[in-house]
Amino acid sequence: MHQAPEQRFASVWDAIADTPQEAASLRARSALMMALTEAMSTHRSHDDAVVAMLKADPAFAATYLTVALDEVGEPGGKTVLLSALRNVATAHDLDLTPGLPGPEPDEKPAA
């Protein structure tokens, strides 16, 4: 039985590619995917960015809530308003724990 001589490659991309150009393309795509994965893992959410803006400029809260209130009648507007209220509360370190004290069901709110 005849064994083929052992080949050594500089990278896995060189081993699986048919041409040096294809290996270079695979290396570039791999580097891009790794960079995208890193960027996605360190990217902050929209809500986190808004909270940071609200903390940096407390006056922004009035404009932010006004816009959310203006859109409450639009499709998805109630969700936008609730999200805006949550972001403002978070920026001001307010406790959003469910079950906060409020009027009893049979009790009328104070006028």
Side-chain angles (χ1 to χ4, degrees):
M1 205 176 236
H2 184 267
Q3 280 188 323
E6 185 178 311
Q7 288 185 328
R8 298 228 176 227
F9 297 95
S11 74
V12 67
W13 308 122
D14 293 319
I16 64 173
D18 292 329
T19 66
Q21 293 82 8
E22 185 181 5
S25 175
L26 291 171
R27 272 192 295 280
R29 287 193 277 173
S30 174
L32 175 61
M33 291 305 295
M34 290 171 65
L36 286 171
T37 300
E38 175 66 24
M40 289 170 54
S41 69
T42 59
H43 180 74
R44 66 182 181 180
S45 73
H46 170 75
D47 286 343
D48 290 342
V50 170
V51 168
M53 289 171 48
L54 289 164
K55 285 182 177 185
D57 182 8
F60 173 59
T63 303
Y64 180 58
L65 290 174
T66 299
V67 171
L69 282 168
D70 288 346
E71 295 180 4
V72 78
E74 301 294 322
K78 289 178 184 176
T79 302
V80 169
L81 177 59
L82 290 173
S83 179
L85 290 169
R86 183 186 65 243
N87 288 336
V88 170
T90 300
H92 291 279
D93 297 319
L94 298 176
D95 185 8
L96 298 176
T97 307
L100 292 176
E104 293 297 321
D106 297 334
E107 185 181 325
K108 292 184 179 179

XYZ file of all heavy atoms in Angstrom:
818
model
N 0.831 -1.162 0.000
C 0.000 0.000 0.000
C 0.888 1.241 0.000
O 1.834 1.340 0.754
C -0.874 -0.034 1.246
C -2.133 0.728 1.079
S -3.140 0.516 2.548
C -4.572 -0.094 1.765
N 0.521 2.218 -0.794
C 1.318 3.430 -0.936
C 0.650 4.574 -0.183
O -0.520 4.846 -0.369
C 1.438 3.783 -2.429
C 2.312 4.965 -2.665
N 1.802 6.231 -2.752
C 3.645 5.085 -2.842
C 2.792 7.077 -2.982
N 3.920 6.392 -3.046
N 1.395 5.247 0.668
C 0.865 6.390 1.402
C 1.294 7.674 0.721
O 2.431 7.800 0.271
C 1.404 6.408 2.837
C 0.681 5.455 3.750
C 1.131 5.685 5.188
O 2.293 5.960 5.432
N 0.197 5.558 6.111
N 0.345 8.630 0.686
C 0.664 9.946 0.132
C 1.545 10.688 1.121
O 1.400 10.525 2.325
C -0.615 10.734 -0.123
N 2.493 11.485 0.609
C 3.343 12.250 1.527
C 2.498 13.233 2.349
O 1.509 13.771 1.876
C 4.321 12.982 0.618
C 3.719 12.942 -0.734
C 2.779 11.772 -0.776
N 2.902 13.422 3.602
C 2.185 14.328 4.498
C 2.389 15.768 4.027
O 3.506 16.181 3.743
C 2.723 14.167 5.914
C 1.953 14.977 6.919
C 2.471 14.758 8.322
O 2.646 13.595 8.726
O 2.707 15.773 8.999
N 1.283 16.493 3.952
C 1.356 17.900 3.565
C 1.130 18.768 4.788
O 0.342 18.434 5.652
C 0.293 18.245 2.522
C 0.557 17.692 1.157
C -0.503 18.192 0.175
O -1.644 18.412 0.534
N -0.099 18.352 -1.068
N 1.803 19.878 4.836
C 1.623 20.860 5.910
C 1.113 22.154 5.274
O 1.554 22.553 4.205
C 2.942 21.124 6.615
C 3.494 19.886 7.270
C 3.899 20.216 8.671
N 4.340 19.007 9.329
C 3.945 18.657 10.512
N 3.118 19.413 11.170
N 4.384 17.557 11.068
N 0.184 22.790 5.989
C -0.417 24.028 5.499
C -0.236 25.118 6.537
O -0.181 24.847 7.736
C -1.907 23.830 5.203
C -2.170 22.824 4.121
C -2.439 21.495 4.432
C -2.139 23.207 2.793
C -2.678 20.571 3.430
C -2.374 22.293 1.782
C -2.649 20.966 2.102
N -0.173 26.338 6.066
C -0.001 27.480 6.958
C -1.259 27.727 7.791
O -1.188 28.218 8.910
C 0.355 28.732 6.167
N -2.427 27.380 7.244
C -3.688 27.581 7.966
C -4.706 26.563 7.471
O -4.513 25.930 6.429
C -4.227 28.993 7.751
O -4.753 29.117 6.442
N -5.784 26.457 8.222
C -6.865 25.565 7.802
C -7.462 26.043 6.483
O -7.883 25.245 5.653
C -7.939 25.434 8.918
C -8.673 26.744 9.124
C -8.926 24.326 8.597
N -7.459 27.363 6.260
C -8.019 27.914 5.025
C -7.186 27.479 3.827
O -7.729 27.176 2.766
C -8.112 29.435 5.100
C -8.834 29.898 6.329
C -8.361 30.728 7.290
C -10.140 29.517 6.749
N -9.290 30.894 8.275
C -10.402 30.154 7.973
C -11.129 28.682 6.226
C -11.591 30.004 8.672
C -12.330 28.532 6.923
C -12.546 29.191 8.124
N -5.866 27.432 3.985
C -5.003 26.956 2.901
C -5.253 25.476 2.623
O -5.179 25.026 1.484
C -3.528 27.181 3.254
C -3.170 28.654 3.321
O -3.648 29.417 2.450
O -2.428 29.033 4.243
N -5.570 24.717 3.660
C -5.786 23.280 3.498
C -7.073 22.972 2.764
O -7.129 22.022 1.977
C -5.792 22.600 4.868
N -8.118 23.776 2.993
C -9.412 23.445 2.375
C -9.678 24.192 1.076
O -10.577 23.828 0.332
C -10.580 23.664 3.359
C -10.711 25.135 3.746
C -10.431 22.779 4.584
C -11.940 25.447 4.581
N -8.901 25.220 0.786
C -9.117 26.004 -0.432
C -8.391 25.378 -1.612
O -7.375 24.704 -1.462
C -8.630 27.431 -0.214
N -8.942 25.621 -2.795
C -8.324 25.103 -4.013
C -7.253 26.031 -4.559
O -6.368 25.582 -5.292
C -9.401 24.879 -5.097
C -10.352 23.749 -4.736
O -9.920 22.791 -4.049
O -11.531 23.830 -5.121
N -7.365 27.323 -4.233
C -6.396 28.294 -4.742
C -5.975 29.236 -3.614
O -6.719 29.389 -2.631
C -7.004 29.149 -5.881
O -8.055 29.952 -5.336
C -7.536 28.292 -7.021
N -4.839 29.893 -3.765
C -4.437 30.886 -2.762
C -5.443 32.038 -2.638
O -5.672 32.554 -1.553
C -3.086 31.393 -3.263
C -2.567 30.302 -4.124
C -3.776 29.660 -4.736
N -6.081 32.402 -3.739
C -7.072 33.482 -3.712
C -8.300 33.059 -2.899
O -8.852 33.848 -2.121
C -7.500 33.875 -5.141
C -6.414 34.513 -5.960
C -5.465 33.483 -6.591
O -5.687 32.273 -6.543
N -4.373 33.984 -7.162
N -8.708 31.813 -3.064
C -9.848 31.305 -2.296
C -9.500 31.254 -0.806
O -10.315 31.596 0.051
C -10.261 29.922 -2.797
C -11.508 29.397 -2.114
C -11.907 28.003 -2.590
O -11.185 27.379 -3.382
O -12.960 27.541 -2.115
N -8.284 30.849 -0.476
C -7.846 30.817 0.926
C -7.850 32.219 1.516
O -8.292 32.420 2.655
C -6.455 30.190 1.025
N -7.400 33.204 0.757
C -7.395 34.588 1.225
C -8.823 35.085 1.455
O -9.101 35.771 2.441
C -6.677 35.493 0.226
N -9.718 34.714 0.563
C -11.120 35.099 0.713
C -11.721 34.462 1.969
O -12.447 35.116 2.728
C -11.915 34.676 -0.519
O -13.288 34.946 -0.350
N -11.429 33.194 2.204
C -11.924 32.517 3.406
C -11.374 33.151 4.677
O -12.102 33.327 5.660
C -11.568 31.025 3.354
C -12.312 30.188 2.308
C -11.704 28.797 2.209
C -13.794 30.105 2.632
N -10.092 33.510 4.651
C -9.489 34.185 5.813
C -10.183 35.518 6.084
O -10.488 35.852 7.229
C -7.991 34.423 5.588
C -7.105 33.283 6.027
C -5.640 33.688 6.044
N -5.113 34.011 4.724
C -4.717 33.099 3.834
N -4.767 31.823 4.119
N -4.252 33.481 2.669
N -10.433 36.279 5.027
C -11.076 37.589 5.176
C -12.500 37.435 5.706
O -12.921 38.174 6.603
C -11.083 38.331 3.838
N -13.240 36.458 5.174
C -14.605 36.244 5.660
C -14.615 35.783 7.105
O -15.464 36.181 7.897
C -15.344 35.263 4.762
C -15.712 35.882 3.415
C -16.691 35.045 2.672
N -15.960 33.996 1.967
C -16.543 32.995 1.314
N -17.849 32.899 1.300
N -15.834 32.104 0.683
N -13.668 34.944 7.466
C -13.565 34.487 8.849
C -13.268 35.659 9.782
O -13.887 35.792 10.854
C -12.465 33.432 8.968
O -12.258 33.086 10.313
N -12.346 36.510 9.394
C -12.005 37.680 10.210
C -13.218 38.602 10.360
O -13.475 39.131 11.447
C -10.826 38.431 9.590
N -13.977 38.785 9.279
C -15.169 39.622 9.325
C -16.199 39.034 10.290
O -16.769 39.750 11.116
C -15.769 39.778 7.928
C -17.094 40.539 7.853
C -16.933 41.963 8.351
C -17.631 40.521 6.439
N -16.440 37.741 10.203
C -17.411 37.104 11.092
C -16.972 37.203 12.554
O -17.788 37.431 13.439
C -17.632 35.634 10.698
C -18.364 35.465 9.379
S -19.955 36.328 9.327
C -20.856 35.431 10.555
N -15.694 37.050 12.814
C -15.198 37.173 14.179
C -15.369 38.604 14.687
O -15.760 38.821 15.841
C -13.745 36.714 14.263
C -13.609 35.204 14.070
S -11.921 34.626 13.905
C -11.260 35.002 15.504
N -15.110 39.587 13.837
C -15.283 40.990 14.222
C -16.754 41.307 14.473
O -17.095 42.016 15.432
C -14.710 41.908 13.146
N -17.649 40.791 13.622
C -19.081 41.007 13.818
C -19.558 40.376 15.122
O -20.344 40.969 15.865
C -19.882 40.438 12.648
C -19.826 41.236 11.357
C -20.480 40.451 10.215
C -20.504 42.573 11.527
N -19.086 39.181 15.411
C -19.455 38.506 16.655
C -19.005 39.321 17.852
O -19.757 39.510 18.818
C -18.840 37.090 16.706
O -19.330 36.341 15.584
C -19.191 36.371 17.988
N -17.801 39.850 17.802
C -17.284 40.680 18.897
C -18.101 41.949 19.039
O -18.479 42.343 20.148
C -15.812 41.020 18.651
C -15.218 41.978 19.658
C -15.123 41.417 21.067
O -15.085 40.188 21.226
O -15.091 42.225 22.021
N -18.405 42.594 17.919
C -19.173 43.840 17.962
C -20.571 43.595 18.517
O -21.081 44.395 19.310
C -19.253 44.460 16.575
N -21.194 42.504 18.132
C -22.541 42.206 18.602
C -22.551 41.885 20.091
O -23.511 42.201 20.788
C -23.144 41.060 17.795
C -23.480 41.476 16.372
S -23.938 40.129 15.289
C -25.252 39.349 16.165
N -21.493 41.292 20.597
C -21.472 40.933 22.017
C -21.208 42.151 22.903
O -21.538 42.135 24.086
C -20.427 39.857 22.281
O -19.125 40.365 22.120
N -20.633 43.214 22.362
C -20.361 44.407 23.155
C -21.317 45.551 22.839
O -21.238 46.597 23.455
C -18.914 44.902 22.934
O -18.737 45.196 21.546
C -17.900 43.866 23.371
N -22.227 45.353 21.898
C -23.178 46.394 21.509
C -24.245 46.553 22.586
O -24.758 45.588 23.110
C -23.843 46.027 20.175
C -24.825 47.033 19.695
N -24.444 48.241 19.174
C -26.165 47.026 19.669
C -25.518 48.930 18.835
N -26.576 48.210 19.131
N -24.583 47.787 22.928
C -25.631 47.977 23.922
C -26.971 48.166 23.223
O -27.044 48.613 22.075
C -25.305 49.123 24.845
C -25.272 50.489 24.203
C -24.890 51.514 25.236
N -24.871 52.828 24.618
C -24.575 53.920 25.257
N -24.270 53.878 26.528
N -24.569 55.079 24.652
N -28.019 47.848 23.933
C -29.362 47.917 23.364
C -29.808 49.370 23.181
O -29.231 50.300 23.752
C -30.350 47.190 24.275
O -30.581 47.958 25.453
N -30.859 49.535 22.422
C -31.451 50.858 22.204
C -31.886 51.451 23.546
O -31.625 52.627 23.822
C -32.641 50.752 21.249
C -33.443 52.010 21.148
N -33.004 53.110 20.454
C -34.631 52.348 21.675
C -33.894 54.071 20.547
N -34.900 53.638 21.275
N -32.559 50.636 24.366
C -33.019 51.134 25.665
C -31.853 51.576 26.538
O -31.928 52.603 27.216
C -33.850 50.071 26.390
C -35.242 49.908 25.786
O -35.680 50.804 25.041
O -35.888 48.885 26.066
N -30.753 50.810 26.536
C -29.583 51.203 27.320
C -29.019 52.534 26.840
O -28.609 53.377 27.641
C -28.491 50.126 27.250
C -28.864 48.863 28.000
O -29.789 48.913 28.848
O -28.230 47.822 27.752
N -29.011 52.735 25.518
C -28.508 53.998 24.968
C -29.419 55.163 25.360
O -28.939 56.245 25.715
C -28.395 53.897 23.446
N -30.744 54.947 25.316
C -31.688 56.005 25.694
C -31.534 56.346 27.170
O -31.520 57.526 27.548
C -33.141 55.589 25.362
C -34.144 56.558 25.973
C -33.342 55.514 23.856
N -31.410 55.320 28.022
C -31.231 55.570 29.462
C -29.963 56.391 29.703
O -29.963 57.332 30.498
C -31.219 54.238 30.252
C -30.740 54.448 31.682
C -32.608 53.603 30.240
N -28.899 56.067 28.993
C -27.653 56.836 29.137
C -27.865 58.288 28.717
O -27.367 59.213 29.373
C -26.538 56.191 28.307
N -28.634 58.517 27.635
C -28.923 59.881 27.194
C -29.765 60.619 28.228
O -29.545 61.799 28.506
C -29.648 59.862 25.843
C -28.768 59.456 24.685
S -29.660 59.168 23.130
C -30.703 60.570 22.986
N -30.735 59.918 28.807
C -31.594 60.539 29.818
C -30.807 60.896 31.073
O -31.076 61.921 31.701
C -32.756 59.600 30.165
C -33.815 59.444 29.068
C -34.678 58.220 29.334
C -34.664 60.693 28.951
N -29.849 60.055 31.433
C -29.011 60.362 32.599
C -28.103 61.553 32.316
O -27.866 62.383 33.190
C -28.169 59.141 32.991
C -28.964 58.063 33.689
C -28.080 56.915 34.098
C -28.893 55.879 34.851
N -28.072 54.796 35.385
N -27.599 61.644 31.092
C -26.686 62.732 30.725
C -27.410 64.064 30.588
O -26.839 65.116 30.864
C -25.963 62.391 29.426
N -28.680 64.018 30.159
C -29.447 65.249 29.929
C -30.863 65.070 30.455
O -31.772 64.702 29.708
C -29.465 65.564 28.431
C -30.208 66.853 28.103
O -30.578 67.597 29.036
O -30.425 67.113 26.903
N -31.076 65.305 31.753
C -32.403 65.087 32.343
C -33.524 65.874 31.651
O -34.665 65.429 31.626
C -32.233 65.540 33.795
C -30.774 65.396 34.065
C -30.099 65.710 32.768
N -33.229 67.021 31.061
C -34.250 67.802 30.362
C -34.764 67.069 29.122
O -35.875 67.326 28.655
C -33.699 69.169 29.976
N -33.980 66.157 28.611
C -34.382 65.364 27.453
C -35.619 64.523 27.764
O -36.404 64.213 26.869
C -33.207 64.484 27.008
C -33.533 63.496 25.930
C -34.007 63.899 24.701
C -33.351 62.140 26.146
C -34.295 62.985 23.705
C -33.637 61.217 25.155
C -34.116 61.637 23.928
N -35.835 64.174 29.023
C -36.971 63.338 29.414
C -38.293 63.968 28.997
O -39.202 63.269 28.535
C -36.944 63.067 30.911
N -38.432 65.281 29.156
C -39.684 65.958 28.802
C -39.984 65.810 27.314
O -41.108 65.472 26.922
C -39.617 67.431 29.201
N -38.986 66.048 26.492
C -39.167 65.911 25.041
C -39.460 64.470 24.666
O -40.364 64.182 23.866
C -37.906 66.395 24.299
O -37.645 67.737 24.686
C -38.065 66.306 22.803
N -38.711 63.557 25.264
C -38.861 62.126 24.994
C -40.276 61.648 25.335
O -40.930 60.966 24.540
C -37.794 61.388 25.807
C -37.760 59.892 25.685
C -37.595 59.272 24.461
C -37.849 59.104 26.830
C -37.527 57.883 24.369
C -37.767 57.724 26.744
C -37.616 57.115 25.517
O -37.549 55.757 25.423
N -40.765 62.044 26.509
C -42.111 61.629 26.914
C -43.191 62.326 26.094
O -44.229 61.719 25.791
C -42.314 61.888 28.406
C -41.516 60.981 29.331
C -41.675 61.421 30.779
C -41.931 59.519 29.171
N -42.970 63.571 25.699
C -43.939 64.288 24.860
C -44.114 63.579 23.525
O -45.241 63.376 23.051
C -43.500 65.753 24.630
O -43.431 66.399 25.900
C -44.458 66.490 23.725
N -43.020 63.178 22.919
C -43.088 62.451 21.648
C -43.815 61.123 21.833
O -44.667 60.743 21.029
C -41.675 62.244 21.060
C -41.714 61.307 19.865
C -41.063 63.585 20.669
N -43.495 60.406 22.914
C -44.160 59.120 23.178
C -45.664 59.320 23.382
O -46.471 58.526 22.877
C -43.531 58.449 24.393
N -46.054 60.376 24.096
C -47.482 60.663 24.301
C -48.165 61.029 22.993
O -49.315 60.651 22.751
C -47.656 61.797 25.318
C -47.493 61.395 26.771
C -47.384 62.638 27.659
C -48.634 60.513 27.233
N -47.474 61.782 22.137
C -48.037 62.154 20.836
C -48.304 60.932 19.963
O -49.194 60.956 19.118
C -47.106 63.117 20.093
C -47.086 64.510 20.707
O -47.978 64.816 21.532
O -46.170 65.284 20.375
N -47.548 59.863 20.163
C -47.667 58.674 19.319
C -48.548 57.590 19.937
O -48.708 56.529 19.350
C -46.276 58.104 19.045
C -45.412 59.033 18.227
C -44.029 58.462 17.950
O -43.761 57.304 18.328
O -43.222 59.195 17.362
N -49.152 57.859 21.097
C -49.905 56.817 21.800
C -51.090 56.305 20.973
O -51.469 55.147 21.100
C -50.330 57.284 23.212
C -51.524 58.212 23.167
C -50.578 56.097 24.113
N -51.667 57.139 20.113
C -52.785 56.715 19.284
C -52.387 55.944 18.042
O -53.232 55.371 17.355
N -51.114 55.922 17.732
C -50.604 55.216 16.554
C -50.475 53.720 16.859
O -50.394 53.331 18.026
C -49.229 55.765 16.156
C -49.216 57.243 15.842
C -50.009 57.589 14.600
O -49.961 56.815 13.629
O -50.689 58.622 14.609
N -50.412 52.880 15.820
C -50.183 51.453 16.068
C -48.869 51.253 16.839
O -47.839 51.807 16.473
C -50.085 50.843 14.662
C -50.832 51.807 13.787
C -50.616 53.162 14.403
N -48.947 50.534 17.923
C -47.773 50.291 18.757
C -47.447 51.433 19.692
O -46.478 51.372 20.443
N -48.270 52.487 19.676
C -48.003 53.683 20.474
C -48.034 53.448 21.969
O -47.258 54.044 22.716
N -48.930 52.579 22.423
C -49.003 52.296 23.866
C -47.724 51.607 24.335
O -47.205 51.909 25.405
C -50.226 51.449 24.180
C -51.519 52.209 24.028
C -52.721 51.346 24.302
C -53.995 52.126 24.034
N -55.184 51.299 24.201
N -47.206 50.715 23.513
C -45.957 50.029 23.849
C -44.800 51.024 23.889
O -43.940 50.965 24.768
C -45.665 48.907 22.827
O -46.761 47.994 22.830
C -44.386 48.174 23.151
N -44.791 51.955 22.940
C -43.753 52.990 22.907
C -43.815 53.837 24.173
O -42.789 54.123 24.797
C -43.899 53.870 21.639
C -43.012 55.106 21.719
C -43.582 53.061 20.387
N -45.029 54.227 24.586
C -45.188 55.034 25.787
C -44.712 54.277 27.029
O -43.974 54.822 27.860
C -46.637 55.475 25.969
C -46.939 56.265 27.240
C -46.101 57.544 27.304
C -48.426 56.579 27.343
N -45.098 53.021 27.153
C -44.666 52.233 28.312
C -43.148 52.071 28.338
O -42.521 52.155 29.392
C -45.358 50.872 28.316
C -46.857 50.907 28.628
C -47.471 49.527 28.441
C -47.102 51.428 30.025
N -42.569 51.868 27.176
C -41.112 51.744 27.089
C -40.442 53.062 27.494
O -39.442 53.062 28.219
C -40.708 51.356 25.666
O -39.317 51.256 25.553
N -41.002 54.175 27.036
C -40.448 55.491 27.386
C -40.542 55.730 28.890
O -39.584 56.207 29.512
C -41.178 56.593 26.610
N -41.685 55.399 29.475
C -41.844 55.565 30.931
C -40.843 54.696 31.694
O -40.240 55.138 32.666
C -43.278 55.231 31.342
C -44.343 56.236 30.895
C -45.732 55.663 31.114
C -44.170 57.554 31.633
N -40.667 53.456 31.228
C -39.703 52.555 31.874
C -38.282 53.121 31.765
O -37.519 53.120 32.733
C -39.761 51.165 31.239
C -38.832 50.154 31.916
C -38.779 48.811 31.216
N -38.190 48.965 29.900
C -38.811 48.717 28.748
N -40.048 48.274 28.735
N -38.210 48.899 27.598
N -37.926 53.651 30.593
C -36.583 54.199 30.403
C -36.340 55.425 31.292
O -35.257 55.565 31.875
C -36.349 54.556 28.929
C -36.204 53.324 28.067
O -35.848 52.251 28.537
N -36.491 53.469 26.787
N -37.343 56.293 31.414
C -37.194 57.469 32.279
C -37.074 57.028 33.730
O -36.220 57.523 34.468
C -38.369 58.455 32.078
C -38.353 59.552 33.133
C -38.310 59.068 30.680
N -37.902 56.081 34.142
C -37.830 55.582 35.521
C -36.467 54.940 35.797
O -35.867 55.167 36.849
C -38.953 54.580 35.770
N -35.977 54.164 34.854
C -34.665 53.523 35.013
C -33.565 54.575 35.113
O -32.661 54.466 35.946
C -34.386 52.571 33.835
O -35.407 51.570 33.810
C -33.031 51.894 33.971
N -33.648 55.613 34.281
C -32.633 56.673 34.299
C -32.611 57.406 35.633
O -31.570 57.892 36.061
C -32.884 57.664 33.159
N -33.763 57.462 36.298
C -33.860 58.162 37.588
C -33.806 57.188 38.763
O -34.158 57.562 39.894
C -35.129 59.012 37.629
C -35.070 60.182 36.697
N -34.414 61.350 37.014
C -35.538 60.340 35.440
C -34.509 62.187 35.997
N -35.181 61.601 35.027
N -33.385 55.953 38.487
C -33.223 54.920 39.522
C -34.489 54.680 40.332
O -34.437 54.454 41.548
C -32.057 55.275 40.461
C -30.733 55.321 39.713
O -30.508 54.443 38.852
O -29.934 56.232 39.990
N -35.643 54.707 39.670
C -36.908 54.414 40.345
C -37.155 52.907 40.331
O -36.839 52.231 39.355
C -38.073 55.137 39.643
C -37.986 56.654 39.642
C -39.137 57.247 38.834
C -38.008 57.191 41.058
N -37.720 52.385 41.393
C -37.998 50.958 41.516
C -39.218 50.608 40.672
O -40.294 51.184 40.860
C -38.237 50.606 42.980
C -38.403 49.116 43.203
O -38.182 48.330 42.253
O -38.756 48.735 44.329
N -39.062 49.677 39.759
C -40.162 49.264 38.890
C -40.698 47.895 39.283
O -41.299 47.209 38.474
C -39.692 49.234 37.430
C -39.244 50.570 36.872
C -38.717 50.407 35.458
C -40.378 51.567 36.897
N -40.505 47.515 40.532
C -40.954 46.220 41.008
C -42.477 46.144 40.949
O -43.151 47.053 41.450
C -40.488 46.000 42.462
O -39.089 46.211 42.524
C -40.839 44.619 42.950
N -43.019 45.063 40.357
C -44.480 44.914 40.351
C -45.014 44.865 41.780
O -44.333 44.425 42.697
C -44.706 43.579 39.655
C -43.456 43.308 38.898
C -42.357 43.983 39.678
N -46.241 45.328 41.963
C -46.867 45.279 43.266
C -46.603 46.503 44.114
O -46.741 46.450 45.326
N -46.198 47.585 43.474
C -46.002 48.819 44.234
C -47.335 49.244 44.837
O -48.397 49.014 44.254
C -45.458 49.931 43.333
C -44.043 49.741 42.809
C -43.691 50.871 41.852
C -43.054 49.706 43.954
N -47.317 49.862 46.000
C -48.578 50.272 46.632
C -49.368 51.203 45.723
O -48.811 52.051 45.040
C -48.131 51.002 47.896
C -46.703 50.659 48.095
C -46.155 50.229 46.776
N -50.642 51.025 45.725
C -51.538 51.866 44.944
C -52.913 51.797 45.554
O -53.109 51.162 46.595
N -53.899 52.421 44.931
C -55.245 52.374 45.493
C -55.791 50.957 45.470
O -55.486 50.180 44.573
C -56.059 53.308 44.595
C -55.257 53.485 43.364
C -53.830 53.186 43.719
N -56.550 50.621 46.473
C -57.216 49.324 46.503
C -58.249 49.300 45.386
O -58.769 50.356 44.986
C -57.891 49.116 47.864
C -56.913 48.972 49.003
C -56.024 47.748 48.846
O -56.513 46.690 48.411
O -54.826 47.857 49.153
N -58.617 48.116 44.878
C -59.583 48.049 43.757
C -60.895 48.773 44.026
O -61.455 49.392 43.135
C -59.809 46.560 43.572
C -58.590 45.905 44.169
C -58.118 46.823 45.255
N -61.404 48.729 45.283
C -62.681 49.389 45.581
C -62.494 50.852 45.978
O -63.456 51.586 46.129
C -63.392 48.661 46.733
C -63.756 47.237 46.355
O -63.920 46.975 45.138
O -63.869 46.383 47.253
N -61.263 51.245 46.158
C -60.947 52.591 46.628
C -60.792 53.535 45.437
O -60.148 53.197 44.443
C -59.639 52.521 47.421
C -59.220 53.801 48.086
C -57.898 53.606 48.818
O -57.670 52.515 49.353
O -57.110 54.553 48.807
N -61.367 54.710 45.526
C -61.229 55.717 44.478
C -59.943 56.488 44.726
O -59.619 56.816 45.872
C -62.407 56.659 44.439
C -63.686 56.002 44.001
C -64.787 57.006 43.893
C -66.052 56.302 43.435
N -67.171 57.204 43.321
N -59.182 56.784 43.676
C -57.965 57.601 43.863
C -58.317 58.964 44.445
O -59.381 59.511 44.174
C -57.375 57.735 42.452
C -58.094 56.750 41.613
C -59.372 56.404 42.300
N -57.414 59.521 45.221
C -57.635 60.845 45.803
C -57.709 61.890 44.707
O -56.935 61.849 43.755
C -56.496 61.167 46.777
N -58.633 62.795 44.840
C -58.817 63.818 43.802
C -57.920 65.000 44.019
O -57.421 65.352 44.978
C -60.263 64.271 43.758
